[in-house]
Each structure stands twice: as structure tokens, then as C-alpha cells.
Amino acid sequence: MTNTVGHLINGELINDNHRSQAVFNPATGGSDTQVALASKQTVEQAISAAQAAFPEWRNTPPMKRARVMFRFKELLEKNADTICQLIGKEHGKISHDAAGELQRGIENVEFACSAPELLKGEHSRNVGPGIDSWSEFQALGVVAGITPFNFPAMVPMWMFPLAIVCGNTFVLKPSERDPSSTLYIAQLLKEAGLPDGVMNIVNGDKEAVDVLLTDERVKAVSFVGSTPIAEHIYATASANGKRCQALGGAKNHAIVMPDADIDNAVNQLLGAAFGSSGERCMALSVAVAVGDEAADKLITTMKNAMAGLSVGVYSDATNDFGPVITKAHQEKVVGFIDSAERQGASIVVDGRAPKVAGYENGFFVGATLIDDVTKEMDSYKAEIFGPVLQVIRVKSMQEAMQLINDHEYGNGTCIFTRDGEAARYFSDHIEVGMVGINVPLPVPVAYHSFGGWKRSLFGDLHAYGPDGVRFYTKRKTITQRWPSSGVREGASFSFPS
Ligand code: NAD
């Protein structure tokens, strides 16, 4: 029987029977689930519910709002297995990887629990004779989130816990490719005591997103996804007078210096390049080896290590990574490997035809290692978003850094070295938003903020953490005097000083 994933509006699960599309299990290639694709009217209904819930939620004390998040965190932990199963079935990532994603999402809920502290504002006494001044951070109103397929639990939790504790109400449009875990998580909020209408989910595609970008009741939009869509979202939301942060795609390079501990670098690169089938915006997809000696050792050690990797179904925790998200994406990833080969690169480990017993129709791509890649190749310029590690050989650290700084994306990067001076120079001068020093996936913890540079982020404020609080609130500064009774001041025509 086919199950249909609907919408969550004003605390009710609904299906508007407008349009729908299949959700696949990428490990089997089959589908027993449909996702409803919301109409304009359904999205407007969700915005109306959020708008109606706003006045009371805005006035709910921050401590009470935070208590909902404390309960929500407990429910997420209690239901972690169910959530990870739903992620695995529709995304394909292995259970241990899904558990890691969920944990990083929960950390954002934990950060949101500190709302009373985060929203204390700033106060100055006696800025003038008998005058006090303070700044408050007030909620915006209805805010929207639009999220990608690759982290159906974590990325939505970069957004709505913080937005909600800041006093906003929320409409989330998750990825239509793996919607079930996100909807399940949102339903836990009701159990945690969140009033109806504060959190709403509309499943859908461009038709739904267009409403969120143009309806004047939506005050801000957080987006995470690919760069062409991020750019469109930022331009459209901004043109419609909304605050917007739009996080886009990536091409993350790791520099392997001649002095690096290559065995350690290879271990780190294995997980960072192939974990989650390379479908992470922080995946390390290019290793830049400085000098042929480092490159040769890297290739040999990596090739040997890759022989032990296993690709397979999400429910078998001994697998290292699973399939890619769709058949079309599988073909796209294989197409990039073909093009690298055509353009002169050497395929050292070829994952184009992996054998996964019992899952012959799954969307699998095996771990692939490509040497002698150049910056002119299509496979280097584009984000592949698959389990493919490309190696570029350069002669110096300066050349490696120039390569990274010239790339259109600037999300994450890493340097493997034992030289502190080189590492400091690297972190100081590299044009990338998140930098690792012997740390392959430098995803900031929840009390910092996440964001890339260049065409990996459109907007001023990064996601979650301190920047998230600023994004989901507007500053109001109040200057106050209570004159003593009977005291009158004369009019003054000079600027107050
Ligand atoms: P995507 O851009 O295809 O989709 C993201 C969201 O946008 C989805 O909800 C989708 O329904 C919606 N969307 C798609 N086309 C649209 C259109 N024409 N108009 C309006 N909305 C549209 O991205 P994806 O394939 O789901 O996710 C993978 C991409 O996300 C990769 O590029 C990855 O690097 C990026 N990503 C970035 C970060 C980051 O923090 N920078 C994090 C995770 C993923």
C-alpha cells in the first residue's frame, strides 16, 4: 500500500490532494511512498496559521518557550531509532551516519534552550542625565525555511528551534525527496507542548516555494541547497522585502602538505570524501597534494585503504556509506567520472559499477579515486556530490591556496600538516568560511555559526548559533527618561549630545 506524506498545518496532518510524487528508497530503487506537493492555497493556509499563532507565541516568556525545546530534545532522543530509520529508508545514509546527523541537530535544540540568556539584550544606564537606553531583540513574525535532501533532520534543526525560541512562528518546506523524518520530527513538537500553528510543514516543490518567497506575511527566509537555487531564492526573497540567508553548494579542498602524516590524512580523507556517499556540503572532494612525493604516497595509501570500504543498505551498520539519492543523480555522478577520464585524468579506483548483492536496482556509486585532475576539467569545476575524491598535484602551498581561492565556492577546507606556521598562514589567508587544521569536516558546533564564503552563501548572516539569533530577531533600541514631576525643560534645536 502506498503511504502519502502530507502537510502539518495548525497542528493537523492534512493532504490537499493537489499533486504528488514518488519518494524512493535509494537502496532498492523502489517506492512505496508518495509526497504531497502543496498548492498555493495550502501554503497560504500554513502562513495564515503561523500568522494567527504569532501574537500569543511572541508574548510567551522566553523561559516557557525554552521549556518546550527541553522537552523536544528529550523526545528526539527517545525516538532516535525511528528517526534514523526514516532517514535511512528515504535518504540511504547508514544508521551510524544518520545518528550523527541527528545528534548535530539536537545540539541546535540544546543551544535554543538558552533563549532567555540569548534574548537578554543590551542595557546602558545614564546615557544622558536621567536617561537609560537599551536594545531588545524582537521576533520578526512568520519566517520560512527551505531545506535540502542531504540532511533531512539536521538542516531543518539549524533553523526552526532557534527561530521559534526567538518568538517567531515557522513554515518549513523540506526536501520532497526524503520528507518523512522531517515531518515526524515536527510532530514531536506538538507532543513537547508547542501550541498549534507555531510550527507548520508544507511539502512541495517550486510552486510551494514561490508562495513563501512572495507572500508579504513571511518576514524572513532561510534556505539551504544548491547554489543556482540559493541565488534565485536570495534574489527573489530580497526583491520582495524579506530578510534572507541562502546557503549554497561547495567544492571543498584539502591540502596535503609534504610534512603531513599521510596515514592519518588518508584516514581522515576517507570519511570526509566518501561518508554519506559524498552527499555533504562539507565533503572533502579534492585533495591538493603538494609535491609529487606526497601525491604518490597519498594515492598508494588511499587506494589500499579504499579496498576495505563497503557500500550498501542503511540498515547494515557495517556499511561505510549508502547509495546516492536518485537514479538521475547516480547517472550524473558517473557522468562526471566519465568526463574526467575523457579529459585526461587517471581513474585509480573506479566506482562506476559497484556490486551490491541483493540491491542490484539501488542507486549505488562505489568510492572513486581520480588522479592527475586539473582545474580546467568539468569534474573539478562542478560540485559532484558523490563518493568521488579527485587529486590535484601542485608544486607549492601558494599554488594550492591560489587554486582554492580561485574556485567559485568557499564553504569548507582543510590543511594536513605538522607545521604550525604554515597552518596559521593558511587559516589567515584562505578565502573560505570554515577551515580545518588536521580536522577534515570543520562543521562549527551549535554555539558558533555555519556558513561559507563566495558563492556558497548569499546573505550576511551565517546559519544557527549567534548569527542565527541575529537573523531571527530585529533590534529595537529604546531611550527612556522619566522627568521628575513638575520639571520642564526648554526646547532644544541642537542635535542631542
Ligand atoms: P536543491 O537546491 O535541489 O533543493 C533544495 C531545496 O530547494 C529543496 O527544498 C527543493 O525542493 C527546493 N527547490 C529546488 N528547485 C527549486 C526551484 N527551482 N525553485 C524553488 N525551490 C526549489 O538541493 P538538494 O539537491 O536538495 O541538496 C543538495 C545541495 O545542497 C548541494 O548543492 C549541497 O552542497 C547543498 N547544501 C548546502 C549546505 C550548506 O550549508 N551550504 C548544506 C547542505 C546542502
Side-chain angles (χ1 to χ4, degrees), residues 215-332:
D215 192 305
E216 63 175 25
R217 294 171 295 173
V218 175
K219 301 301 176 203
V221 175
S222 296
F223 172 88
V224 176
S226 59
T227 286
I229 309 298
E231 196 165 23
H232 158 73
I233 300 278
Y234 185 74
T236 314
S238 304
N240 282 279
K242 301 181 197 318
R243 185 177 285 191
C244 185
Q245 54 179 187
L247 284 69
K251 191 81 176 178
N252 307 310
H253 301 65
I255 299 185
V256 181
M257 293 288 282
D259 69 339
D261 174 343
I262 298 281
D263 291 328
N264 181 52
V266 163
N267 281 341
Q268 305 299 314
L269 274 165
L270 274 176
F274 306 123
S276 207
S277 311
E279 291 176 323
R280 292 178 181 146
C281 67
M282 291 292 276
L284 282 179
S285 52
V286 184
V288 189
V290 178
D292 276 333
E293 200 180 316
D296 291 343
K297 187 155 184 229
L298 176 70
I299 292 283
T300 315
T301 317
M302 183 55 98
K303 186 179 169 186
N304 290 339
M306 286 170 69
L309 292 179
S310 68
V311 54
V313 65
Y314 66 94
S315 48
D316 179 351
T318 64
N319 286 323
D320 296 305
F321 63 94
V324 298
I325 187 71
T326 57
K327 180 94 192 140
H329 191 54
Q330 180 192 32
E331 286 163 2
K332 188 173 152 194

Side-chain angles (χ1 to χ4, degrees), residues 45-330:
Q45 198 186 328
I47 297 170
S48 297
Q51 175 91 336
F54 178 61
E56 198 175 329
W57 184 245
R58 170 195 194 275
N59 287 332
T60 302
M63 194 66 222
K64 286 196 172 167
R65 300 199 294 245
R67 277 186 200 130
V68 174
M69 288 299 147
F70 276 108
R71 289 191 290 268
F72 179 49
K73 169 192 145 65
E74 281 175 12
L75 289 167
L76 288 167
E77 285 167 349
K78 192 171 136 202
N79 293 285
D81 286 347
T82 308
I83 296 167
C84 292
Q85 290 248 352
L86 290 171
I87 296 173
K89 186 179 166 207
E90 294 180 357
H91 175 284
K93 68 176 71 172
I94 311 301
S95 47
H96 51 75
D97 189 23
E101 149 168 19
L102 181 60
Q103 180 54 35
R104 293 303 295 261
I106 289 173
E107 286 172 16
N108 286 278
V109 179
E110 289 168 336
F111 180 73
C113 288
S114 53
E117 175 67 22
L118 299 170
L119 296 172
K120 268 196 324 206
E122 299 159 357
H123 189 271
S124 299
R125 191 175 173 274
N126 252 6
V127 294
I131 302 176
D132 302 328
S133 184
W134 69 93
S135 292
E136 307 180 344
F137 298 100
Q138 297 195 346
L140 306 176
V142 180
V143 300
I146 301 153
T147 49
F149 80 83
N150 65 327
F151 286 104
M154 180 184 78
V155 170
M157 287 196 275
W158 285 1
M159 301 175 183
F160 70 78
L162 200 51
I164 285 175
V165 288
C166 287
N168 302 285
T169 55
F170 209 88
V171 181
L172 176 69
K173 206 299 288 169
S175 171
E176 64 276 39
R177 298 190 215 158
D178 49 7
S180 295
S181 60
T182 323
L183 185 66
Y184 182 88
I185 285 171
Q187 287 174 272
L188 296 178
L189 279 166
K190 188 175 172 124
E191 206 180 324
L194 192 73
D196 290 345
V198 175
M199 174 69 182
N200 305 275
I201 299 254
V202 286
N203 279 303
D205 53 14
K206 184 172 175 1
E207 184 178 351
V209 171
D210 283 347
V211 185
L212 296 173
L213 297 180
T214 52
D215 192 305
E216 63 175 25
R217 294 171 295 173
V218 175
K219 301 301 176 203
V221 175
S222 296
F223 172 88
V224 176
S226 59
T227 286
I229 309 298
E231 196 165 23
H232 158 73
I233 300 278
Y234 185 74
T236 314
S238 304
N240 282 279
K242 301 181 197 318
R243 185 177 285 191
C244 185
Q245 54 179 187
L247 284 69
K251 191 81 176 178
N252 307 310
H253 301 65
I255 299 185
V256 181
M257 293 288 282
D259 69 339
D261 174 343
I262 298 281
D263 291 328
N264 181 52
V266 163
N267 281 341
Q268 305 299 314
L269 274 165
L270 274 176
F274 306 123
S276 207
S277 311
E279 291 176 323
R280 292 178 181 146
C281 67
M282 291 292 276
L284 282 179
S285 52
V286 184
V288 189
V290 178
D292 276 333
E293 200 180 316
D296 291 343
K297 187 155 184 229
L298 176 70
I299 292 283
T300 315
T301 317
M302 183 55 98
K303 186 179 169 186
N304 290 339
M306 286 170 69
L309 292 179
S310 68
V311 54
V313 65
Y314 66 94
S315 48
D316 179 351
T318 64
N319 286 323
D320 296 305
F321 63 94
V324 298
I325 187 71
T326 57
K327 180 94 192 140
H329 191 54
Q330 180 192 32

Side-chain angles (χ1 to χ4, degrees), residues 491-497:
S492 167
F493 297 93
S494 32
F495 200 68
S497 60

